[in-house]
Structures are given as C-alpha cells and as structure tokens.
Amino acid sequence: QVARRVGFDFAVAEDCQRWRECGSYRRTYGDAVLEVEYADNGRRRFSAACRARGDDLAIVYRDRVLRPTGRRGHVFDAC
C-alpha cells in the first residue's frame, strides 16, 4: 500500500501491473519507480506495462528466483 512517501527516494514496485497498483506508485514517487514484472505471471503483463509506462520508467521482466545468466530458468528483459 502506497499511501504516502515515507522518507524513501524511490520505490521498487513488484507485480504492480498484475495487481493494478502502478498508478499509486507513480502518484507517490513520480518517475522514481523501478517496476519488476515476474515471468511466472506471463509475458503479457510485462508487455502491457512497457506499453503503458516503458517510456517513463525502468521496467524489468525477471524470473522470481533471480537466477543468474546462463542458469536454467533465467529470465531477463527490460523496457
């Protein structure tokens, strides 16, 4: 829940496309939001997030376990 800024310079918004809460983060932190959409929710949500906010925010697509490059199951993309 992002009701007000509480002494933080930025926010990491995980799955906000899925939970439809990205607007709350933007209203509170402006462009100081790093958005992470996880692969187990499907690429469709990441693509939608990129279309909606990719020109203004850093949006990352990752596997939830954050496997290193080269490891089976590693997922990374950004827009």
Side-chain angles (χ1 to χ4, degrees):
Q1 295 182 7
V2 182
R4 61 187 173 92
R5 200 170 181 162
V6 215
F8 298 108
D9 295 330
F10 67 96
V12 177
E14 296 178 290
D15 283 334
C16 73
Q17 181 72 27
R18 176 181 183 200
W19 300 111
R20 299 179 183 159
E21 58 190 17
C22 301
S24 295
Y25 284 98
R26 291 293 301 275
R27 284 188 295 280
T28 304
Y29 291 93
D31 293 342
V33 176
L34 170 62
E35 182 175 337
V36 182
E37 298 296 334
Y38 290 106
D40 58 349
N41 292 319
R43 189 168 183 91
R44 177 177 48 92
R45 287 194 174 95
F46 169 70
S47 297
C50 288
R51 284 191 304 276
R53 295 171 298 286
D55 290 340
D56 301 321
L57 297 180
I59 302 175
V60 176
Y61 184 61
R62 279 305 314 249
D63 56 287
R64 196 171 295 273
V65 180
L66 304 177
R67 292 175 178 92
T69 302
R71 286 284 182 99
R72 185 174 158 212
H74 168 80
V75 174
F76 176 83
D77 199 353
C79 64

